[in-house]
């Protein structure tokens, strides 16, 4: 498999990691569209949200919530795009 996100999760490609737990990894986007643009990816490969196992949905979105809290505290943005 030649998935960029899987390579980042396996630490084969360097990334600025801002959060990690057993199910998800969050890292700064290398081409941010906004200050604090962060990608949150499940540690188990899924090509898109429709392929994401239902059992991983909750832990991945829990990671999104945690990371959004970091961004809120650090940058005080007007809003979020999730």
């Amino acid at each position: 498999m030649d998935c960029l996100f899987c390579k980042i999760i396996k630490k084969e490609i360097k990334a600025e990691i801002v959060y990690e737990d057993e199910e998800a990894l969050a890292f700064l986007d290398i081409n941010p569209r906004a200050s604090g643009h962060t990608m949150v990816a499940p540690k188990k490969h899924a090509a898109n949200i429709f392929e994401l196992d239902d059992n991983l949905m909750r832990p991945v979105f829990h990671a999104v919530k945690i990371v959004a809290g970091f961004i809120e505290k650090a940058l005080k943005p007007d809003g979020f795009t999730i």
Side-chain angles (χ1 to χ4, degrees):
M1 182 178 331
D2 197 32
C3 173
L4 174 66
F5 298 118
C6 289
K7 288 180 180 182
I8 292 170
I9 289 164
K10 293 177 189 172
K11 312 274 185 351
E12 295 172 0
I13 295 175
K14 185 180 179 198
E16 294 296 324
I17 297 170
V18 297
Y19 177 78
E20 182 174 12
D21 63 23
E22 290 182 18
E23 306 293 346
L25 183 79
F27 51 94
L28 297 178
D29 192 291
I30 62 169
N31 295 308
R33 294 186 180 256
S35 182
H37 184 171
T38 304
M39 305 291 291
V40 179
K43 287 190 172 178
K44 182 179 177 190
H45 177 79
N48 55 53
I49 196 166
F50 302 110
E51 288 187 11
L52 184 61
D53 188 285
D54 287 345
N55 294 328
L56 288 176
M57 196 70 68
R58 184 180 177 117
V60 168
F61 276 89
H62 178 73
V64 169
K65 184 177 180 180
I66 289 170
V67 171
F70 294 164
I71 294 168
E72 174 68 28
K73 184 176 181 180
L75 300 175
K76 308 280 190 244
D78 292 334
F80 292 89
T81 301
I82 296 176

